[in-house]
Amino acid sequence: MTVIHPKTRFTAVAAMMTILLFAPATIIAAEAPAGQIAQVNDTILLRPDLDREMKLVSLKLARQGRPVNAEQLKRYEGEIRDTLINRTLLLQQAKSAGIDVKDSAVVKALDEFKAAFKDEKAYQNALTEMGFTEEMLKSQIKSGLTIKTLIDKTVLQKISVSDQQVRVYYDDNPNLFRKPEQVKASHILIQVPANADEAKQAAAQAAIQALKLRLNNGENFATLAQENSDGPSKTKGGDLGFFSREQMVPPFSEAAFALQPGQTSDVVQTRFGYHLIRVTERQAEQTMAYNEVKEAISARLRQEQEGKKIDAYLEKIKENADIKRFPL
């Protein structure tokens, strides 16, 4: 399976949420004034700043399926403080360069952020979860946009990736562009909670067996899925699209990949419940064509260049910076 990913557009939300773990700043040991975690030139960083940033990191990791407890999160403290120090340095540099982001740009970015939520209540719940007020969020967004403007103007202007570089990367890394065998399948699911008692298990088994009998008698799979299946795919007649073996839980994959197009499985039990699976297409393992991935490769190579240049730019700023870190 390819590990190349298209470049993510640098939105204000990304500027606010992404944790950039740059190279650590030089440490100057000092006695910790009350509530202070660091001093960057004339700017004091406070413990609540670090706590808020740690909470954002915790939420981000949880959304990535990597939840951490308080003890595990504690291990990130030093790196997260580095992020705050680097962000502060960049904001100071932007101020010195006379960079200022218009309020209209902040409002637009805030609207984009809010649009990701289904309604105002969900948005307000997210603010509460992050420990932010809307004004604090706007400040974070403005900081992110300011740093982006600085980096765009002073660091990234001369970055370019040639077609030859992209082609060489493609030719030198064939394993990155292999597409595994895939099937396109639909399913009918009768959900059963993991802790369901015998009566509920028996009722679910009876329901799925009845549906299998109706299929055997010639009824339409998609119609039965729409009328009886549990889960979001029911609105599409149970259609799950194409997937590889690794994308599904093992019992489901084993059953699906044993079928030929047009065949329907026996009842399959997974931790989600009971399934009937129908495969409609199969695709053999293949190598993705150069034209399919050249834009993603170009974005990846550009990101690598950007990371190196940003690191170098930060190191240059730090040479003339007065950075003090206090014990956490």
Side-chain angles (χ1 to χ4, degrees):
M1 183 180 296
T2 177
V3 298
I4 295 292
H5 300 281
K7 182 179 179 183
T8 302
R9 185 167 62 91
F10 197 130
T11 63
V13 178
M16 179 192 71
M17 297 296 290
T18 301
I19 305 302
L20 302 174
L21 299 179
F22 297 114
T26 302
I27 297 178
I28 303 176
E31 191 71 23
Q36 297 183 18
I37 60 166
Q39 181 173 339
V40 184
N41 296 317
D42 295 330
T43 302
I44 301 296
L45 300 181
L46 300 174
R47 183 73 214 192
D49 300 323
L50 179 60
D51 290 340
R52 188 160 46 247
E53 200 71 20
M54 288 177 66
K55 187 166 187 177
L56 290 178
V57 172
S58 178
L59 291 171
K60 184 182 175 103
L61 291 172
R63 291 188 182 112
Q64 292 174 347
R66 298 185 293 154
V68 292
N69 58 35
E71 182 180 347
Q72 293 169 323
L73 187 61
K74 182 83 173 170
R75 300 173 196 164
Y76 288 90
E77 269 193 337
E79 293 177 336
I80 296 169
R81 178 171 60 180
D82 289 342
T83 300
L84 290 172
I85 289 171
N86 292 326
R87 187 182 300 162
T88 302
L89 282 168
L90 291 170
L91 287 171
Q92 290 173 349
Q93 197 71 12
K95 184 177 180 180
S96 297
I99 293 173
D100 187 37
V101 173
K102 293 182 179 179
D103 289 342
S104 59
V106 176
V107 171
K108 180 181 178 183
L110 178 62
D111 288 343
E112 289 177 0
F113 180 71
K114 292 174 74 170
F117 300 93
K118 64 179 181 179
D119 53 33
E120 180 67 18
K121 183 179 179 181
Y123 164 65
Q124 292 296 335
N125 287 341
L127 286 181
T128 300
E129 188 179 25
M130 292 187 294
F132 275 54
T133 64
E134 187 166 88
E135 286 305 309
M136 292 165 66
L137 176 59
K138 287 166 70 175
S139 177
Q140 286 277 345
I141 290 173
K142 185 168 185 175
S143 294
L145 291 174
T146 300
I147 291 171
K148 179 184 183 302
T149 303
L150 171 72
I151 295 299
D152 286 346
K153 285 186 174 182
T154 60
V155 183
L156 304 183
Q157 284 184 330
K158 296 182 180 179
I159 289 181
S160 64
V161 176
S162 69
D163 290 343
Q164 182 181 5
Q165 288 174 296
V166 174
R167 186 74 214 197
V168 168
Y169 188 92
Y170 177 80
D171 291 338
D172 287 351
N173 298 278
N175 289 336
L176 297 181
F177 308 107
R178 288 208 178 100
K179 215 181 208 179
E181 179 187 16
Q182 293 186 312
V183 296
K184 184 178 183 183
S186 301
H187 79 144
I188 298 172
L189 167 66
I190 302 300
Q191 287 183 333
V192 184
N195 59 351
D197 58 27
E198 290 185 10
K200 289 181 179 178
Q201 291 275 4
Q205 287 178 347
I208 200 75
Q209 291 290 353
L211 290 169
K212 181 171 174 54
L213 181 60
R214 291 172 67 180
L215 286 172
N216 292 343
N217 289 334
E219 292 194 46
N220 182 270
F221 191 100
T223 301
L224 287 178
Q226 287 175 336
E227 294 174 351
N228 300 279
S229 185
D230 297 320
S233 68
K234 69 178 294 180
T235 59
K236 297 180 289 185
D239 185 13
L240 297 169
F242 280 99
F243 54 87
S244 63
R245 291 179 186 271
E246 295 76 18
Q247 289 178 276
M248 298 295 180
V249 293
F252 193 99
S253 285
E254 289 168 11
F257 279 84
L259 300 172
Q260 294 302 316
Q263 291 183 330
T264 301
S265 71
D266 289 328
V267 174
V268 177
Q269 183 177 5
T270 72
R271 57 189 170 90
F272 301 105
Y274 297 99
H275 311 254
L276 294 169
I277 306 167
R278 172 165 291 180
V279 166
T280 54
E281 292 183 54
R282 294 184 72 105
Q283 287 183 349
E285 181 180 348
Q286 57 186 296
T287 298
M288 299 175 74
Y290 172 70
N291 286 338
E292 287 183 77
V293 295
K294 65 180 181 179
E295 289 186 9
I297 296 173
S298 180
R300 179 189 179 116
L301 295 178
R302 183 178 177 87
Q303 285 179 324
E304 289 177 355
Q305 287 190 41
E306 289 176 354
K308 291 176 182 177
K309 283 186 172 289
I310 292 171
D311 284 347
Y313 180 69
L314 267 167
E315 289 305 311
K316 185 177 179 180
I317 295 173
K318 289 172 187 175
E319 290 175 3
N320 299 314
D322 178 18
I323 300 171
K324 296 182 177 69
R325 299 185 188 193
F326 308 125
L328 295 173

